[in-house]
Amino acid sequence: MKNLEHIETSMFVFVLDDTAPENFNQHTPYDAMVSVMLGHYQHLMLEDIEGQWTGPAEIREFPMPILLNFDLDAKLVAAISSAKETSLSYINNICAKSLFFTEYGKDFMKPYKLHPDAFVQMSLQLAYWRLHGRPAPTYETASTRQFHAGRTETMRSCTAESVDWVQTMLNPKAKTAEKRRKLVAAVDCHNRLMKECQKNEGIDRHMLGLYIVALESGMDIPDLFLDPSFTKSGGGGNFVLSTSTVGYTPVFGGVAAMIPNGYGCFYSMVSDRLNFFITSFKASEETSVEAFSEALSLSLCDMQQVLVVPTSSL
């Protein structure tokens, strides 16, 4: 118990592994803004000192690491082996791909007064429909950290406005002016809903609370949570697209998709490029990180063409 306490109360856990990634797609993904902020701070420091240490030359005394000895019986050894096997089965089922979209970055969207995050979310909607021919219930993380102990709410990016815009984008007879107008409407809707979620005016955490209260009280599960439409719309952690922005820094990472036939798509936005981390499951015959990546790149280029056309020629 004391050994576990040492581990759980430590500031860092440094893992020495005998494996090495062959390319960037094999790096360890991570989630949570704390990690992103830490990585970004380190990145800024390295840039500031140009990779050369500028601190004091003296090395202060530091206690050497001490080996923590565990007493393991046969049952625990078997459990560790089983856990490792289970973990590897999950790891080996995940497809991950990094996409660096370099045609433009967040600076491109500023003159058009389009919020970069909402803009990227629309590109994900267009990419999924382009690839699968239907809309995807989408989770985007909305931060509620302005509240004490606040964490997240679900921003549902697949709206009536985004669906209307996607259908227009994929309609070869639609005029550019109509595509631009509906893009602005979809982005505005997304921004409004995001602000509501950040103010704790979303629905998913409230629904989760009601569900947990019912379980803890020994009540029957309310019919709402058993209705097929609840699951199809993403309820209960069944979102087809699981997404989140990790900020406006070069640092980015991601996690696995929520459902077997879904995608995880996490991204950061810098001045001249967009960084994406896309995941799916190898066992799925429906999804493909390679195909989604291509559809996403094409969608971002199409959105650029809609905006760069001079207003006078629309």
PDB file of all heavy atoms in Angstrom, residues 253-283:
ATOM      1  N   GLY A 253      -2.423  15.610 -29.249  1.00  0.00           N
ATOM      2  CA  GLY A 253      -2.480  14.171 -28.984  1.00  0.00           C
ATOM      3  C   GLY A 253      -3.910  13.704 -29.178  1.00  0.00           C
ATOM      4  O   GLY A 253      -4.727  14.432 -29.742  1.00  0.00           O
ATOM      5  N   GLY A 254      -4.238  12.518 -28.714  1.00  0.00           N
ATOM      6  CA  GLY A 254      -5.597  12.026 -28.908  1.00  0.00           C
ATOM      7  C   GLY A 254      -5.863  10.744 -28.177  1.00  0.00           C
ATOM      8  O   GLY A 254      -4.977  10.200 -27.501  1.00  0.00           O
ATOM      9  N   VAL A 255      -7.089  10.264 -28.294  1.00  0.00           N
ATOM     10  CA  VAL A 255      -7.504   9.000 -27.685  1.00  0.00           C
ATOM     11  C   VAL A 255      -8.277   8.181 -28.715  1.00  0.00           C
ATOM     12  O   VAL A 255      -8.544   8.649 -29.824  1.00  0.00           O
ATOM     13  CB  VAL A 255      -8.384   9.232 -26.428  1.00  0.00           C
ATOM     14  CG1 VAL A 255      -7.611   9.968 -25.352  1.00  0.00           C
ATOM     15  CG2 VAL A 255      -9.653  10.005 -26.778  1.00  0.00           C
ATOM     16  N   ALA A 256      -8.635   6.978 -28.332  1.00  0.00           N
ATOM     17  CA  ALA A 256      -9.345   6.080 -29.254  1.00  0.00           C
ATOM     18  C   ALA A 256     -10.787   6.537 -29.466  1.00  0.00           C
ATOM     19  O   ALA A 256     -11.327   7.343 -28.706  1.00  0.00           O
ATOM     20  CB  ALA A 256      -9.326   4.651 -28.700  1.00  0.00           C
ATOM     21  N   ALA A 257     -11.392   6.017 -30.518  1.00  0.00           N
ATOM     22  CA  ALA A 257     -12.792   6.305 -30.810  1.00  0.00           C
ATOM     23  C   ALA A 257     -13.686   5.762 -29.701  1.00  0.00           C
ATOM     24  O   ALA A 257     -13.299   4.851 -28.959  1.00  0.00           O
ATOM     25  CB  ALA A 257     -13.176   5.681 -32.152  1.00  0.00           C
ATOM     26  N   MET A 258     -14.900   6.309 -29.593  1.00  0.00           N
ATOM     27  CA  MET A 258     -15.827   5.876 -28.545  1.00  0.00           C
ATOM     28  C   MET A 258     -16.488   4.542 -28.850  1.00  0.00           C
ATOM     29  O   MET A 258     -16.763   3.760 -27.948  1.00  0.00           O
ATOM     30  CB  MET A 258     -16.927   6.927 -28.341  1.00  0.00           C
ATOM     31  CG  MET A 258     -16.519   8.154 -27.576  1.00  0.00           C
ATOM     32  SD  MET A 258     -17.985   9.150 -27.189  1.00  0.00           S
ATOM     33  CE  MET A 258     -17.203  10.540 -26.364  1.00  0.00           C
ATOM     34  N   ILE A 259     -16.770   4.293 -30.130  1.00  0.00           N
ATOM     35  CA  ILE A 259     -17.510   3.086 -30.516  1.00  0.00           C
ATOM     36  C   ILE A 259     -16.710   2.305 -31.560  1.00  0.00           C
ATOM     37  O   ILE A 259     -15.822   2.864 -32.217  1.00  0.00           O
ATOM     38  CB  ILE A 259     -18.912   3.428 -31.064  1.00  0.00           C
ATOM     39  CG1 ILE A 259     -18.793   4.266 -32.349  1.00  0.00           C
ATOM     40  CG2 ILE A 259     -19.735   4.185 -30.020  1.00  0.00           C
ATOM     41  CD1 ILE A 259     -20.127   4.476 -33.049  1.00  0.00           C
ATOM     42  N   PRO A 260     -17.010   1.020 -31.749  1.00  0.00           N
ATOM     43  CA  PRO A 260     -16.236   0.180 -32.678  1.00  0.00           C
ATOM     44  C   PRO A 260     -16.158   0.722 -34.103  1.00  0.00           C
ATOM     45  O   PRO A 260     -15.144   0.573 -34.763  1.00  0.00           O
ATOM     46  CB  PRO A 260     -16.976  -1.162 -32.633  1.00  0.00           C
ATOM     47  CG  PRO A 260     -17.602  -1.192 -31.267  1.00  0.00           C
ATOM     48  CD  PRO A 260     -18.006   0.218 -30.985  1.00  0.00           C
ATOM     49  N   ASN A 261     -17.247   1.342 -34.597  1.00  0.00           N
ATOM     50  CA  ASN A 261     -17.256   1.862 -35.966  1.00  0.00           C
ATOM     51  C   ASN A 261     -17.160   3.388 -36.000  1.00  0.00           C
ATOM     52  O   ASN A 261     -17.704   4.035 -36.895  1.00  0.00           O
ATOM     53  CB  ASN A 261     -18.533   1.417 -36.696  1.00  0.00           C
ATOM     54  CG  ASN A 261     -18.509  -0.064 -37.032  1.00  0.00           C
ATOM     55  OD1 ASN A 261     -17.453  -0.626 -37.328  1.00  0.00           O
ATOM     56  ND2 ASN A 261     -19.657  -0.712 -36.975  1.00  0.00           N
ATOM     57  N   GLY A 262     -16.464   3.946 -35.027  1.00  0.00           N
ATOM     58  CA  GLY A 262     -16.342   5.391 -34.956  1.00  0.00           C
ATOM     59  C   GLY A 262     -14.918   5.871 -35.170  1.00  0.00           C
ATOM     60  O   GLY A 262     -14.006   5.089 -35.456  1.00  0.00           O
ATOM     61  N   TYR A 263     -14.745   7.181 -35.040  1.00  0.00           N
ATOM     62  CA  TYR A 263     -13.437   7.813 -35.165  1.00  0.00           C
ATOM     63  C   TYR A 263     -13.159   8.696 -33.949  1.00  0.00           C
ATOM     64  O   TYR A 263     -14.079   9.256 -33.343  1.00  0.00           O
ATOM     65  CB  TYR A 263     -13.374   8.722 -36.401  1.00  0.00           C
ATOM     66  CG  TYR A 263     -13.480   8.030 -37.730  1.00  0.00           C
ATOM     67  CD1 TYR A 263     -14.701   7.949 -38.400  1.00  0.00           C
ATOM     68  CD2 TYR A 263     -12.358   7.488 -38.350  1.00  0.00           C
ATOM     69  CE1 TYR A 263     -14.806   7.332 -39.633  1.00  0.00           C
ATOM     70  CE2 TYR A 263     -12.449   6.872 -39.588  1.00  0.00           C
ATOM     71  CZ  TYR A 263     -13.678   6.793 -40.222  1.00  0.00           C
ATOM     72  OH  TYR A 263     -13.775   6.176 -41.453  1.00  0.00           O
ATOM     73  N   GLY A 264     -11.896   8.801 -33.624  1.00  0.00           N
ATOM     74  CA  GLY A 264     -11.447   9.835 -32.712  1.00  0.00           C
ATOM     75  C   GLY A 264     -10.695  10.848 -33.555  1.00  0.00           C
ATOM     76  O   GLY A 264      -9.893  10.456 -34.410  1.00  0.00           O
ATOM     77  N   CYS A 265     -10.974  12.127 -33.374  1.00  0.00           N
ATOM     78  CA  CYS A 265     -10.272  13.145 -34.153  1.00  0.00           C
ATOM     79  C   CYS A 265      -9.980  14.347 -33.267  1.00  0.00           C
ATOM     80  O   CYS A 265     -10.891  15.069 -32.867  1.00  0.00           O
ATOM     81  CB  CYS A 265     -11.099  13.568 -35.364  1.00  0.00           C
ATOM     82  SG  CYS A 265     -10.138  14.568 -36.529  1.00  0.00           S
ATOM     83  N   PHE A 266      -8.712  14.532 -32.963  1.00  0.00           N
ATOM     84  CA  PHE A 266      -8.284  15.588 -32.044  1.00  0.00           C
ATOM     85  C   PHE A 266      -7.278  16.470 -32.772  1.00  0.00           C
ATOM     86  O   PHE A 266      -6.498  15.984 -33.597  1.00  0.00           O
ATOM     87  CB  PHE A 266      -7.681  14.959 -30.793  1.00  0.00           C
ATOM     88  CG  PHE A 266      -8.622  13.974 -30.155  1.00  0.00           C
ATOM     89  CD1 PHE A 266      -8.692  12.658 -30.607  1.00  0.00           C
ATOM     90  CD2 PHE A 266      -9.466  14.375 -29.143  1.00  0.00           C
ATOM     91  CE1 PHE A 266      -9.587  11.765 -30.061  1.00  0.00           C
ATOM     92  CE2 PHE A 266     -10.359  13.480 -28.583  1.00  0.00           C
ATOM     93  CZ  PHE A 266     -10.424  12.175 -29.029  1.00  0.00           C
ATOM     94  N   TYR A 267      -7.269  17.749 -32.469  1.00  0.00           N
ATOM     95  CA  TYR A 267      -6.517  18.666 -33.316  1.00  0.00           C
ATOM     96  C   TYR A 267      -6.039  19.898 -32.558  1.00  0.00           C
ATOM     97  O   TYR A 267      -6.604  20.292 -31.534  1.00  0.00           O
ATOM     98  CB  TYR A 267      -7.388  19.113 -34.495  1.00  0.00           C
ATOM     99  CG  TYR A 267      -8.747  19.631 -34.074  1.00  0.00           C
ATOM    100  CD1 TYR A 267      -8.946  20.981 -33.825  1.00  0.00           C
ATOM    101  CD2 TYR A 267      -9.817  18.762 -33.896  1.00  0.00           C
ATOM    102  CE1 TYR A 267     -10.175  21.459 -33.415  1.00  0.00           C
ATOM    103  CE2 TYR A 267     -11.054  19.217 -33.479  1.00  0.00           C
ATOM    104  CZ  TYR A 267     -11.238  20.570 -33.240  1.00  0.00           C
ATOM    105  OH  TYR A 267     -12.462  21.037 -32.818  1.00  0.00           O
ATOM    106  N   SER A 268      -4.970  20.478 -33.070  1.00  0.00           N
ATOM    107  CA  SER A 268      -4.500  21.779 -32.598  1.00  0.00           C
ATOM    108  C   SER A 268      -4.360  22.683 -33.811  1.00  0.00           C
ATOM    109  O   SER A 268      -4.159  22.213 -34.943  1.00  0.00           O
ATOM    110  CB  SER A 268      -3.168  21.662 -31.856  1.00  0.00           C
ATOM    111  OG  SER A 268      -2.119  21.338 -32.746  1.00  0.00           O
ATOM    112  N   MET A 269      -4.484  23.985 -33.585  1.00  0.00           N
ATOM    113  CA  MET A 269      -4.509  24.953 -34.684  1.00  0.00           C
ATOM    114  C   MET A 269      -3.447  26.011 -34.448  1.00  0.00           C
ATOM    115  O   MET A 269      -3.494  26.729 -33.447  1.00  0.00           O
ATOM    116  CB  MET A 269      -5.896  25.598 -34.752  1.00  0.00           C
ATOM    117  CG  MET A 269      -7.025  24.593 -35.001  1.00  0.00           C
ATOM    118  SD  MET A 269      -8.658  25.202 -34.505  1.00  0.00           S
ATOM    119  CE  MET A 269      -8.567  24.993 -32.707  1.00  0.00           C
ATOM    120  N   VAL A 270      -2.497  26.094 -35.350  1.00  0.00           N
ATOM    121  CA  VAL A 270      -1.472  27.132 -35.276  1.00  0.00           C
ATOM    122  C   VAL A 270      -1.623  28.041 -36.498  1.00  0.00           C
ATOM    123  O   VAL A 270      -2.479  27.805 -37.354  1.00  0.00           O
ATOM    124  CB  VAL A 270      -0.056  26.535 -35.188  1.00  0.00           C
ATOM    125  CG1 VAL A 270       0.140  25.804 -33.874  1.00  0.00           C
ATOM    126  CG2 VAL A 270       0.209  25.590 -36.352  1.00  0.00           C
ATOM    127  N   SER A 271      -0.802  29.053 -36.582  1.00  0.00           N
ATOM    128  CA  SER A 271      -0.986  30.096 -37.593  1.00  0.00           C
ATOM    129  C   SER A 271      -1.047  29.572 -39.023  1.00  0.00           C
ATOM    130  O   SER A 271      -1.911  29.969 -39.813  1.00  0.00           O
ATOM    131  CB  SER A 271       0.139  31.131 -37.482  1.00  0.00           C
ATOM    132  OG  SER A 271       0.103  31.768 -36.227  1.00  0.00           O
ATOM    133  N   ASP A 272      -0.139  28.639 -39.342  1.00  0.00           N
ATOM    134  CA  ASP A 272      -0.011  28.229 -40.744  1.00  0.00           C
ATOM    135  C   ASP A 272      -0.330  26.769 -41.010  1.00  0.00           C
ATOM    136  O   ASP A 272      -0.106  26.277 -42.122  1.00  0.00           O
ATOM    137  CB  ASP A 272       1.399  28.526 -41.239  1.00  0.00           C
ATOM    138  CG  ASP A 272       2.465  27.822 -40.399  1.00  0.00           C
ATOM    139  OD1 ASP A 272       2.113  27.267 -39.334  1.00  0.00           O
ATOM    140  OD2 ASP A 272       3.638  27.826 -40.807  1.00  0.00           O
ATOM    141  N   ARG A 273      -0.848  26.055 -40.027  1.00  0.00           N
ATOM    142  CA  ARG A 273      -1.215  24.658 -40.285  1.00  0.00           C
ATOM    143  C   ARG A 273      -2.198  24.156 -39.225  1.00  0.00           C
ATOM    144  O   ARG A 273      -2.370  24.759 -38.175  1.00  0.00           O
ATOM    145  CB  ARG A 273       0.022  23.754 -40.316  1.00  0.00           C
ATOM    146  CG  ARG A 273       0.654  23.489 -38.968  1.00  0.00           C
ATOM    147  CD  ARG A 273       1.844  22.539 -39.103  1.00  0.00           C
ATOM    148  NE  ARG A 273       2.367  22.162 -37.806  1.00  0.00           N
ATOM    149  CZ  ARG A 273       3.234  22.863 -37.107  1.00  0.00           C
ATOM    150  NH1 ARG A 273       3.690  24.015 -37.601  1.00  0.00           N
ATOM    151  NH2 ARG A 273       3.671  22.446 -35.933  1.00  0.00           N
ATOM    152  N   LEU A 274      -2.797  23.007 -39.539  1.00  0.00           N
ATOM    153  CA  LEU A 274      -3.716  22.341 -38.623  1.00  0.00           C
ATOM    154  C   LEU A 274      -3.172  20.940 -38.375  1.00  0.00           C
ATOM    155  O   LEU A 274      -2.867  20.207 -39.317  1.00  0.00           O
ATOM    156  CB  LEU A 274      -5.120  22.264 -39.233  1.00  0.00           C
ATOM    157  CG  LEU A 274      -5.738  23.596 -39.675  1.00  0.00           C
ATOM    158  CD1 LEU A 274      -7.035  23.355 -40.442  1.00  0.00           C
ATOM    159  CD2 LEU A 274      -5.987  24.509 -38.482  1.00  0.00           C
ATOM    160  N   ASN A 275      -3.050  20.560 -37.104  1.00  0.00           N
ATOM    161  CA  ASN A 275      -2.510  19.248 -36.741  1.00  0.00           C
ATOM    162  C   ASN A 275      -3.645  18.351 -36.261  1.00  0.00           C
ATOM    163  O   ASN A 275      -4.379  18.711 -35.342  1.00  0.00           O
ATOM    164  CB  ASN A 275      -1.477  19.389 -35.621  1.00  0.00           C
ATOM    165  CG  ASN A 275      -0.371  20.359 -35.974  1.00  0.00           C
ATOM    166  OD1 ASN A 275       0.163  20.322 -37.073  1.00  0.00           O
ATOM    167  ND2 ASN A 275      -0.023  21.234 -35.043  1.00  0.00           N
ATOM    168  N   PHE A 276      -3.787  17.184 -36.865  1.00  0.00           N
ATOM    169  CA  PHE A 276      -4.849  16.258 -36.497  1.00  0.00           C
ATOM    170  C   PHE A 276      -4.265  14.929 -36.019  1.00  0.00           C
ATOM    171  O   PHE A 276      -3.246  14.474 -36.529  1.00  0.00           O
ATOM    172  CB  PHE A 276      -5.766  15.969 -37.694  1.00  0.00           C
ATOM    173  CG  PHE A 276      -6.561  17.151 -38.165  1.00  0.00           C
ATOM    174  CD1 PHE A 276      -6.054  17.979 -39.165  1.00  0.00           C
ATOM    175  CD2 PHE A 276      -7.806  17.434 -37.626  1.00  0.00           C
ATOM    176  CE1 PHE A 276      -6.767  19.067 -39.618  1.00  0.00           C
ATOM    177  CE2 PHE A 276      -8.547  18.518 -38.075  1.00  0.00           C
ATOM    178  CZ  PHE A 276      -8.028  19.343 -39.066  1.00  0.00           C
ATOM    179  N   PHE A 277      -4.932  14.332 -35.048  1.00  0.00           N
ATOM    180  CA  PHE A 277      -4.595  12.977 -34.599  1.00  0.00           C
ATOM    181  C   PHE A 277      -5.869  12.151 -34.732  1.00  0.00           C
ATOM    182  O   PHE A 277      -6.850  12.382 -34.015  1.00  0.00           O
ATOM    183  CB  PHE A 277      -4.113  12.987 -33.146  1.00  0.00           C
ATOM    184  CG  PHE A 277      -3.579  11.665 -32.676  1.00  0.00           C
ATOM    185  CD1 PHE A 277      -2.266  11.300 -32.925  1.00  0.00           C
ATOM    186  CD2 PHE A 277      -4.393  10.778 -31.988  1.00  0.00           C
ATOM    187  CE1 PHE A 277      -1.771  10.076 -32.493  1.00  0.00           C
ATOM    188  CE2 PHE A 277      -3.910   9.559 -31.551  1.00  0.00           C
ATOM    189  CZ  PHE A 277      -2.593   9.204 -31.806  1.00  0.00           C
ATOM    190  N   ILE A 278      -5.892  11.215 -35.676  1.00  0.00           N
ATOM    191  CA  ILE A 278      -7.101  10.474 -36.041  1.00  0.00           C
ATOM    192  C   ILE A 278      -6.955   9.014 -35.635  1.00  0.00           C
ATOM    193  O   ILE A 278      -5.909   8.400 -35.876  1.00  0.00           O
ATOM    194  CB  ILE A 278      -7.354  10.578 -37.556  1.00  0.00           C
ATOM    195  CG1 ILE A 278      -7.394  12.042 -37.992  1.00  0.00           C
ATOM    196  CG2 ILE A 278      -8.656   9.873 -37.942  1.00  0.00           C
ATOM    197  CD1 ILE A 278      -7.309  12.234 -39.499  1.00  0.00           C
ATOM    198  N   THR A 279      -8.000   8.460 -35.029  1.00  0.00           N
ATOM    199  CA  THR A 279      -7.968   7.064 -34.605  1.00  0.00           C
ATOM    200  C   THR A 279      -9.225   6.321 -35.053  1.00  0.00           C
ATOM    201  O   THR A 279     -10.285   6.910 -35.237  1.00  0.00           O
ATOM    202  CB  THR A 279      -7.856   6.939 -33.066  1.00  0.00           C
ATOM    203  OG1 THR A 279      -9.004   7.560 -32.460  1.00  0.00           O
ATOM    204  CG2 THR A 279      -6.590   7.593 -32.551  1.00  0.00           C
ATOM    205  N   SER A 280      -9.076   5.034 -35.220  1.00  0.00           N
ATOM    206  CA  SER A 280     -10.202   4.125 -35.458  1.00  0.00           C
ATOM    207  C   SER A 280      -9.760   2.746 -34.990  1.00  0.00           C
ATOM    208  O   SER A 280      -8.657   2.583 -34.454  1.00  0.00           O
ATOM    209  CB  SER A 280     -10.599   4.101 -36.940  1.00  0.00           C
ATOM    210  OG  SER A 280      -9.575   3.507 -37.723  1.00  0.00           O
ATOM    211  N   PHE A 281     -10.602   1.739 -35.190  1.00  0.00           N
ATOM    212  CA  PHE A 281     -10.268   0.385 -34.751  1.00  0.00           C
ATOM    213  C   PHE A 281     -10.035  -0.528 -35.947  1.00  0.00           C
ATOM    214  O   PHE A 281     -10.788  -0.503 -36.919  1.00  0.00           O
ATOM    215  CB  PHE A 281     -11.385  -0.188 -33.875  1.00  0.00           C
ATOM    216  CG  PHE A 281     -11.518   0.504 -32.542  1.00  0.00           C
ATOM    217  CD1 PHE A 281     -12.591   1.340 -32.284  1.00  0.00           C
ATOM    218  CD2 PHE A 281     -10.553   0.333 -31.556  1.00  0.00           C
ATOM    219  CE1 PHE A 281     -12.713   1.986 -31.062  1.00  0.00           C
ATOM    220  CE2 PHE A 281     -10.664   0.967 -30.335  1.00  0.00           C
ATOM    221  CZ  PHE A 281     -11.745   1.803 -30.081  1.00  0.00           C
ATOM    222  N   LYS A 282      -8.983  -1.326 -35.859  1.00  0.00           N
ATOM    223  CA  LYS A 282      -8.636  -2.237 -36.947  1.00  0.00           C
ATOM    224  C   LYS A 282      -9.734  -3.263 -37.200  1.00  0.00           C
ATOM    225  O   LYS A 282      -9.916  -3.715 -38.334  1.00  0.00           O
ATOM    226  CB  LYS A 282      -7.326  -2.959 -36.617  1.00  0.00           C
ATOM    227  CG  LYS A 282      -6.108  -2.058 -36.571  1.00  0.00           C
ATOM    228  CD  LYS A 282      -4.846  -2.837 -36.199  1.00  0.00           C
ATOM    229  CE  LYS A 282      -3.634  -1.926 -36.114  1.00  0.00           C
ATOM    230  NZ  LYS A 282      -2.415  -2.653 -35.699  1.00  0.00           N
ATOM    231  N   ALA A 283     -10.465  -3.632 -36.151  1.00  0.00           N
ATOM    232  CA  ALA A 283     -11.503  -4.651 -36.295  1.00  0.00           C
ATOM    233  C   ALA A 283     -12.707  -4.152 -37.094  1.00  0.00           C
ATOM    234  O   ALA A 283     -13.525  -4.953 -37.552  1.00  0.00           O
ATOM    235  CB  ALA A 283     -11.964  -5.118 -34.911  1.00  0.00           C
TER     236      ALA A 283
END
